[in-house]
Amino acid sequence: MAQFKSQGTIDRVVPGSPADLAGIRQGDRLLAIDGKPVKDIVGYQFNQVAERVTVEIAREGEPEPRALTIRKAEQQDLGLEFVDPTFDGIKRCNNHCPFCFVDQNAPGLRRS
């Protein structure tokens, strides 16, 4: 499977956040939380709510991913912001669903 350059790439680590205190850096890639692959911002938000989470990250120049266990308040955000919230770009399809936020905007609204 092809890897996209921005896939899970961390754009910003909030200063003083649990992720910052754990040593996660801008440019690291988030691979999994508690062993569950994270494919987009929704997966990140859903899987990071526990008081103790183990995140798997890949760092440029390191041959193997690293696992970091982070303790934080339940429901507290880890403090990560991503280059691309879908991790692998917006996917377009040919279904033309009327509710699609990518391709089916009413006239006069934001561009697709």
Side-chain angles (χ1 to χ4, degrees), residues 3-111:
Q3 293 287 322
F4 293 87
K5 187 173 181 144
S6 68
Q7 191 167 24
T9 301
I10 297 166
D11 187 43
R12 179 174 178 260
V13 180
V14 175
S17 68
D20 183 37
L21 298 174
I24 297 175
R25 302 188 299 213
Q26 178 183 17
D28 289 347
R29 287 188 314 118
L30 178 64
L31 305 176
I33 297 176
D34 290 335
K36 299 173 189 102
V38 180
K39 297 179 181 179
D40 57 27
I41 192 77
V42 175
Y44 163 72
Q45 291 170 339
F46 182 79
N47 289 301
Q48 61 139 4
V49 298
E51 291 179 354
R52 181 178 172 264
V53 294
T54 300
V55 296
E56 186 176 327
I57 62 163
R59 183 165 286 163
E60 186 75 31
E62 292 186 2
E64 296 293 323
R66 61 172 64 190
L68 303 168
T69 299
I70 300 172
R71 292 186 184 277
K72 61 182 188 56
E74 188 173 18
Q75 301 291 330
Q76 180 183 9
D77 192 280
L78 286 170
L80 301 176
E81 296 175 10
F82 299 93
V83 170
D84 182 357
T86 60
F87 287 17
D88 62 356
I90 295 175
K91 296 176 178 79
R92 295 184 184 268
C93 70
N94 291 320
N95 292 341
H96 304 292
C97 301
F99 53 81
C100 181
F101 67 92
V102 173
D103 202 28
Q104 298 293 319
N105 291 320
L109 295 179
R110 69 169 175 76
R111 293 181 8 220

